[in-house]
Amino acid sequence: MTKLRYERPIITSLNGGVSNKFGTRSLHEPVSHIDGVSVKEIIAQYGSPVFILSERKIRQTYRDAKRAFTSRYPKVQFAWSYKTNYINAICNIFHQEGSWAEVVSIFEYKKAIANGVPGKNIIFNGPDKTEEDLRTAIENDSLIHIDHLDELYQIIELTGSLKKRPKVAIRVNMDTGIYPMWDRFGFNYENGQAWDAINKIILTDKMDLVGLHCHIGTFMLSPNAYAVAANKLSDLALGLKLHHKKNIEYIDLGGGFASKNTLKGSFLPGSDIIPGFDEYAEAICTTLLNAGFTKDDLPMLILESGRALIDEAGFLAGSVIANKRLSDGRRALVMDMGVNLLFTSFWYDHRISPVEASGHHTENAVIYGPLCMNIDVLRENVTLPPLKKGDQVVVHTVGAYNMTQWMQFISMRPNVVLIDPEGKTHVIRRKETVDDLNKMEEMPSHLKSFKI
Ligand SMILES: *Cc1c(COP(=O)(O)O)cnc(C)c1O
C-alpha cells in the first residue's frame, strides 16, 4: 500500500445565498407591492428606474427611535441629517415629526431655512463654513458647531461687527475603541485640545458655549462606543461646571447608528446582526443619567441620526435590460440602474428581489448597471430566479445617501416617488432632462457653429 500524500487542512468560505449548512436563503422571493401599492404600476406611471420612498415607514422608524430614547431620558431632541437625504418632502416629514435640521454646508442650511425650519433649530456642522456662512448662522441664532481653531478665531473676529452673541458648541473627537478613529473633525478629547477650545471660548467671552458635540463614525455596530462617547462629553460638561460655573444646554451625540443593511463581506444579513434603537439608547441614556449631573443640570440629548432613520424606507425599482453569459460561465444581468444611482452598492450587498414570481430554479448572477464603465456593478454575486429582458426588480434599503450622492453620469437621475400613508403616490423630485443640464452651460460665440 502506498502512503497517502499529506494535504494541509484548508478553510473554504461558504457563498451567501447558495445551499450551505444553514440552509438556503430565501431573500429572492418576489416583492410585488410596497405599502400595498403595485411596483409594476409605479413603474408604468413614473418610468424605470424609479426611487420609491415609504412615508409610513419613515414615520414608524422615527417614532420607534424617539420612543427608545424618550422612554429612558427626559430631554431628547432629534435633528435630521440633511446630507443623508435632503429631498425637501423627506426633510419635512422629519420636521413634522418634531426634528430639527442638522446641516453640513450653506447649501443644506439654505434648504432648511426654505423648508421653514427656524434658525434657532438648525445645527450647523462641518469644517467648511465661510465668513458669510457664519454671519448668516449667527444672525439667525443657529447653533454653530465649531470644527477647528481657525473657525473659532473667525467667529471671535466676526463678533466685533455683529450685535448678536453667537451660540456655539465644539465638535469633539475621541477614542471610543473603534478604529480607525475619526480624528479629522473637531477637537481631540484625550490630548486636551477640547479643553483648550472650551477655555478659549469661555475666557474670551464673545460667544455662548451651549453644547458639546461628537459624531464618532458611521454604521457603528457597537452601542458601547456611544457609552464611551457620552461619558467623555459628560466629563467635559461636568468640568465646565466645576471650573467655570457654567452649564451647557445640550450634549449632541451625532449620528452613526447602523441601518438594516448588509455590509459587504458580512456573513449574516445586516437585519440579523445590527443593534436596535433600544440598545443604542440604553448605552447612551444610562451613561448620561449616571454621569453625575443634578436634575436641573441634566443636558438635553440631541441625536443626528441619518441612515438608521431612512435607509429601510427607500427602494429603487428598475428593469432588466439584458441577460448574458460571461466568459467564465457565470450568469450576468444588465439592469437600467447602476452605481450612478446607487452609490451605496460600493459598501453594501443590497437585497434585490424580483417583482414577479418567475420559477424556482435560482442561479447566482452578477448584476451590472447600464453604464459603459467596468466598475458599474450592483451586486457581485446574488441568487435570483431566471429573469428576462423587461422583468422588474426592487433593490431594498436604499433611502440613505443615494439620493444625495447619486451622479449625473451617462444617464439622468430618475423620478423619486413618495407613497403617502393612504397609499397615494406623489413625485417629490421629478426626473432630470437634457434641458436641465444644458441650462447650466454656455457656448462661447466662436464655438457656436461648425461644418462637418
Ligand atoms: C453624516 C452625519 C450624520 C448622520 O450620520 P449617519 O451615520 O447617517 O447617522 C450626523 N451628524 C454629522 C455631523 C454627520 O456628518
Side-chain angles (χ1 to χ4, degrees):
M1 209 178 98
T2 50
K3 199 176 162 196
L4 288 178
R5 231 179 96 183
Y6 171 76
E7 278 181 331
R8 65 186 176 86
I10 53 163
I11 297 171
T12 39
S13 67
L14 296 169
N15 274 334
V18 300
S19 278
N20 59 45
K21 66 177 174 172
F22 299 108
T24 310
R25 294 247 298 274
S26 55
L27 289 176
H28 43 74
E29 257 147 38
V31 170
S32 60
H33 288 71
I34 295 169
D35 284 1
V37 183
S38 151
V39 176
K40 258 192 146 23
E41 279 170 27
I42 292 179
I43 289 181
Q45 191 173 350
Y46 300 105
S48 176
V50 57
F51 274 103
I52 303 167
L53 286 145
S54 158
E55 182 177 343
R56 195 189 295 169
K57 185 73 193 172
I58 295 172
R59 291 187 189 272
Q60 248 174 22
T61 310
Y62 178 85
R63 286 171 195 177
D64 185 33
K66 191 173 160 197
R67 173 206 47 76
F69 283 90
T70 53
S71 57
R72 290 175 167 90
Y73 195 80
K75 292 185 246 177
V76 178
Q77 178 63 52
F78 280 82
W80 175 238
S81 153
Y82 264 48
K83 78 170 183 295
T84 308
N85 188 320
Y86 45 57
I87 294 180
N88 295 328
I90 300 302
C91 297
N92 276 9
I93 296 173
F94 286 103
H95 298 322
Q96 282 186 352
E97 292 287 335
S99 256
W100 294 359
E102 184 273 323
V103 303
V104 292
S105 70
I106 193 68
F107 141 68
E108 293 179 8
Y109 186 95
K110 287 177 179 167
K111 260 183 160 261
I113 291 281
N115 282 338
V117 181
K120 68 178 182 17
N121 300 130
I122 303 177
I123 294 170
F124 199 167
N125 277 317
D128 173 25
K129 310 180 192 85
T130 65
E131 183 183 321
E132 193 49 42
D133 302 347
L134 289 169
R135 203 185 286 275
T136 307
I138 294 167
E139 272 160 6
N140 289 335
D141 291 322
S142 298
L143 302 162
I144 301 168
H145 286 189
I146 302 173
D147 187 77
H148 42 73
L149 282 178
D150 287 315
E151 187 175 333
L152 198 158
Y153 298 145
Q154 181 148 41
I155 297 174
I156 292 177
E157 216 178 293
L158 273 175
T159 54
S161 61
L162 290 170
K163 284 187 203 74
K164 285 203 163 146
R165 246 177 108 82
K167 290 199 287 179
V168 303
I170 55 162
R171 175 156 177 175
V172 180
N173 69 63
M174 60 188 76
D175 185 350
T176 60
I178 305 291
Y179 309 102
M181 213 170 108
W182 278 23
D183 61 359
R184 56 171 284 187
F185 302 108
F187 303 92
N188 186 253
Y189 171 85
E190 284 83 14
N191 72 7
Q193 279 175 354
W195 253 117
D196 175 48
I198 290 173
N199 287 333
K200 286 192 160 92
I201 293 170
I202 300 292
L203 299 173
T204 52
D205 199 22
K206 299 279 192 205
M207 53 191 117
D208 292 328
L209 181 67
V210 291
L212 295 168
H213 172 241
C214 69
H215 174 61
I216 54 176
T218 193
F219 211 90
M220 305 291 288
L221 290 164
S222 159
N224 187 56
Y226 287 92
V228 175
N231 206 21
K232 291 184 175 174
L233 290 190
S234 298
D235 177 57
L236 292 176
L238 291 163
L240 191 65
K241 173 89 177 174
L242 183 71
H243 298 295
H244 297 296
K245 310 274 172 293
K246 290 213 191 279
N247 279 331
I248 48 132
E249 291 168 23
Y250 64 86
I251 281 184
D252 179 344
L253 283 176
F257 302 156
S259 69
K260 289 194 177 127
N261 239 317
T262 305
L263 284 177
K264 276 186 192 297
S266 165
F267 185 65
L268 291 169
S271 52
D272 292 355
I273 54 169
I274 69 133
F277 290 121
D278 284 290
E279 289 164 76
Y280 293 113
E282 186 65 24
I284 291 170
C285 300
T286 311
T287 306
L288 290 180
L289 291 172
N290 293 331
F293 294 106
T294 62
K295 185 163 171 292
D296 292 336
D297 290 353
L298 204 61
M300 182 191 338
L301 167 61
I302 296 184
L303 297 154
E304 305 168 345
S305 206
R307 68 176 75 240
L309 293 182
I310 186 87
D311 223 3
E312 267 194 291
F315 304 84
L316 179 60
S319 313
V320 177
I321 294 173
N323 251 296
K324 284 192 167 182
R325 275 290 152 198
L326 300 180
S327 60
D328 61 6
R330 277 180 305 154
R331 185 161 72 111
L333 287 167
V334 186
M335 301 279 182
D336 61 1
M337 52 195 171
V339 295
N340 53 323
L341 302 182
L342 274 188
F343 198 78
T344 55
S345 51
F346 288 124
W347 60 84
Y348 293 140
D349 278 341
H350 282 294
R351 180 184 155 202
I352 299 183
S353 317
V355 170
E356 283 186 293
S358 59
H360 297 291
H361 297 291
T362 57
E363 187 183 350
N364 280 15
V366 47
I367 310 282
Y368 295 125
L371 305 182
C372 226
M373 287 275 289
N374 207 36
I375 55 156
D376 191 17
V377 182
L378 282 192
R379 285 291 303 267
E380 269 113 30
N381 188 10
V382 61
T383 312
L384 282 173
L387 292 171
K388 53 183 192 318
K389 180 176 161 59
D391 284 351
Q392 296 162 346
V393 300
V394 172
V395 188
H396 299 257
T397 328
V398 305
Y401 295 104
N402 287 305
M403 282 154 262
T404 49
Q405 293 189 47
W406 49 6
M407 293 176 266
Q408 183 281 305
F409 176 58
I410 300 186
S411 56
M412 302 279 160
R413 284 168 278 213
N415 279 319
V416 181
V417 171
L418 181 75
I419 305 177
D420 74 17
E422 274 76 54
K424 279 220 303 272
T425 53
H426 310 259
V427 174
I428 56 172
R429 191 180 191 276
R430 70 156 173 79
K431 68 175 176 207
E432 293 168 346
T433 63
V434 184
D435 288 343
D436 291 325
L437 277 194
N438 283 341
K439 230 185 268 172
M440 289 177 281
E441 298 192 21
E442 312 268 355
M443 186 69 75
S445 58
H446 70 288
L447 297 177
K448 279 195 174 134
S449 60
F450 52 80
K451 253 196 222 120
I452 296 176

